[in-house]
Amino acid sequence: MSITEILGKQSKPLLTALGFVLVLLIGVIDYLTDPLFSSLMLYLVPIILATRFVGRSAGILIAVSSALTWVLADMISGPAYPHIIIPIWNLAEKLGMFFIVVYILLRISKAEEESRRLERERKDMLSMFAHDMKNPLIVAGGFLSRLISGKAGPFTEKQMEYLKLMKDELGRLERYIKDFLELSRLESSEYKPVPAPFNMSAALKMRIEMERIEAEKKDINIEFRIPEDTAIMVNADAIQIDRVIANLLNNAIKYTGSSGTIIVNLIERDKDVLVQVVDTGIGIMEKHIPHIFDTFYRASRDAGGSGLGLSIARSIVEANGGKIWAESILGKGSTFSFTLPRYYA
């Protein structure tokens, strides 16, 4: 994305004008110092910036002005030339050199844009494919539920076992597809979080109680620690943040052994609020930690899930103005932390 796309189209003339000003400043430096080789390096700076971040037309205009300024500075600061052909030749030489630079930059920019276009098309195609798969899965799951309920006639115990396995696998595939569609939506430019003030301590308490049922099945104790029992307010999209909390708690329960402990810390800081989910689980190898938030990355082949949960969590937290990271010691447990902007009344 170029600077003009970020600031708006009206910024293009302003940035181009700044490029001309920069060229003039470099010309003055060239005249005062009369450097032999650094002139080229200096004049390339505005050309590269204009071409890379504003566009081809700006790059060509700055290249022409750079060549003219360079020749003029050379003529004023140097000895008088006996023939006009020499300055013209110098101008042509410098123009040619600068246009080559502009051409190379445009080729690089075009290659990058083509790569981004192909990546967008790939993601769009996968999203459409996943979306089209969702309906047949729902239909197949519905028929399997009818078979399991006995509405189509009796089955043997073995047949019923197979039907339940098929339903479980369909359910898992449906969750994968939902995760992929959610990640695609979050990564698209159309996603806009709806930040609003909400009570983070209350949201955590509610989600912990909902996940406590699964934790108790493994005899896992969940503790919620806050400095004091008061409302700690954040400014974020409450629905999406609840998904982040659920994801981190689910992972902690999944990778913590029987009789383990999960501690949820909520810490109010100067400018943000810190949430930590600390577990006594299996931990993560150090080499995997920098990649665990990458799309489809899984630290172990034996790990279930789509490999999208933490990617979705990162996209949500960052879209809401926060940060998310992980720390872990193999065999001793992991700590997943994220921050969100505080709400000031």
Side-chain angles (χ1 to χ4, degrees), residues 161-266:
E161 183 182 343
Y162 289 159
L163 288 173
K164 289 180 179 178
L165 286 173
M166 290 169 62
K167 192 172 189 306
D168 288 343
E169 290 303 306
L170 278 178
R172 186 165 69 161
L173 182 57
E174 186 178 351
R175 288 193 298 274
Y176 290 171
I177 290 173
K178 285 181 178 178
D179 282 348
F180 181 80
L181 290 173
E182 178 70 5
L183 183 64
S184 298
R185 188 178 72 86
L186 290 169
E187 289 185 341
S188 72
S189 57
E190 297 177 0
Y191 172 68
K192 296 288 188 298
V194 185
F198 73 93
N199 188 337
M200 192 67 185
S201 50
L204 281 168
K205 284 179 182 177
M206 183 175 67
R207 177 50 61 180
I208 288 170
E209 290 306 314
M210 293 172 69
E211 302 297 335
R212 201 181 293 279
I213 297 172
E214 288 299 316
E216 289 175 350
K217 291 178 181 179
K218 297 176 66 176
D219 195 26
I220 295 173
N221 179 45
I222 301 181
E223 300 178 17
F224 182 34
R225 296 179 181 176
I226 53 176
E228 54 186 35
D229 192 14
T230 57
I232 297 179
M233 305 296 291
V234 299
N235 190 47
D237 189 319
I239 295 175
Q240 293 294 340
I241 297 304
D242 181 66
R243 174 156 190 173
V244 174
I245 299 167
N247 180 282
L248 296 182
L249 284 173
N250 285 335
N251 280 352
I253 294 169
K254 181 178 180 180
Y255 294 109
T256 299
S258 180
S259 301
T261 301
I262 297 171
I263 299 171
V264 180
N265 295 315
L266 178 59

Side-chain angles (χ1 to χ4, degrees), residues 96-327:
M97 180 169 47
F98 288 156
F99 283 168
I100 289 172
V101 172
V102 172
Y103 175 77
I104 292 172
L105 290 170
L106 289 173
R107 294 293 296 179
I108 293 172
S109 180
K110 184 176 180 181
E112 290 177 350
E113 180 59 33
E114 181 68 11
S115 176
R116 288 194 293 267
R117 184 186 65 81
L118 290 173
E119 180 64 16
R120 285 195 302 269
E121 289 181 355
R122 183 187 69 83
K123 286 184 176 180
D124 289 344
M125 182 180 67
L126 289 173
S127 295
M128 287 188 291
F129 177 68
H131 189 271
D132 289 343
M133 283 182 63
K134 189 171 66 172
N135 289 336
L137 279 174
I138 293 172
V139 173
F143 278 112
L144 274 174
S145 296
R146 290 178 65 85
L147 291 173
I148 291 171
S149 67
K151 292 181 179 179
F155 289 92
T156 66
E157 186 176 342
K158 196 69 175 177
Q159 289 172 330
M160 187 63 71
E161 183 182 343
Y162 289 159
L163 288 173
K164 289 180 179 178
L165 286 173
M166 290 169 62
K167 192 172 189 306
D168 288 343
E169 290 303 306
L170 278 178
R172 186 165 69 161
L173 182 57
E174 186 178 351
R175 288 193 298 274
Y176 290 171
I177 290 173
K178 285 181 178 178
D179 282 348
F180 181 80
L181 290 173
E182 178 70 5
L183 183 64
S184 298
R185 188 178 72 86
L186 290 169
E187 289 185 341
S188 72
S189 57
E190 297 177 0
Y191 172 68
K192 296 288 188 298
V194 185
F198 73 93
N199 188 337
M200 192 67 185
S201 50
L204 281 168
K205 284 179 182 177
M206 183 175 67
R207 177 50 61 180
I208 288 170
E209 290 306 314
M210 293 172 69
E211 302 297 335
R212 201 181 293 279
I213 297 172
E214 288 299 316
E216 289 175 350
K217 291 178 181 179
K218 297 176 66 176
D219 195 26
I220 295 173
N221 179 45
I222 301 181
E223 300 178 17
F224 182 34
R225 296 179 181 176
I226 53 176
E228 54 186 35
D229 192 14
T230 57
I232 297 179
M233 305 296 291
V234 299
N235 190 47
D237 189 319
I239 295 175
Q240 293 294 340
I241 297 304
D242 181 66
R243 174 156 190 173
V244 174
I245 299 167
N247 180 282
L248 296 182
L249 284 173
N250 285 335
N251 280 352
I253 294 169
K254 181 178 180 180
Y255 294 109
T256 299
S258 180
S259 301
T261 301
I262 297 171
I263 299 171
V264 180
N265 295 315
L266 178 59
I267 303 168
E268 195 170 23
R269 308 195 300 186
D270 289 341
K271 295 182 180 180
D272 58 29
V273 169
L274 172 66
V275 179
Q276 293 179 316
V277 178
V278 185
D279 65 60
T280 58
I282 59 175
I284 306 167
M285 292 181 67
E286 187 176 353
K287 67 178 183 180
H288 294 304
I289 292 176
H291 308 289
I292 57 173
F293 293 100
D294 295 348
T295 305
F296 296 116
Y297 190 85
R298 291 191 290 183
S300 170
R301 291 184 179 180
D302 298 329
S306 60
L308 294 175
L310 290 176
S311 297
I312 291 172
R314 180 180 63 180
S315 296
I316 292 172
V317 170
E318 291 180 352
N320 282 275
K323 296 180 181 179
I324 187 168
W325 66 95
E327 301 164 283

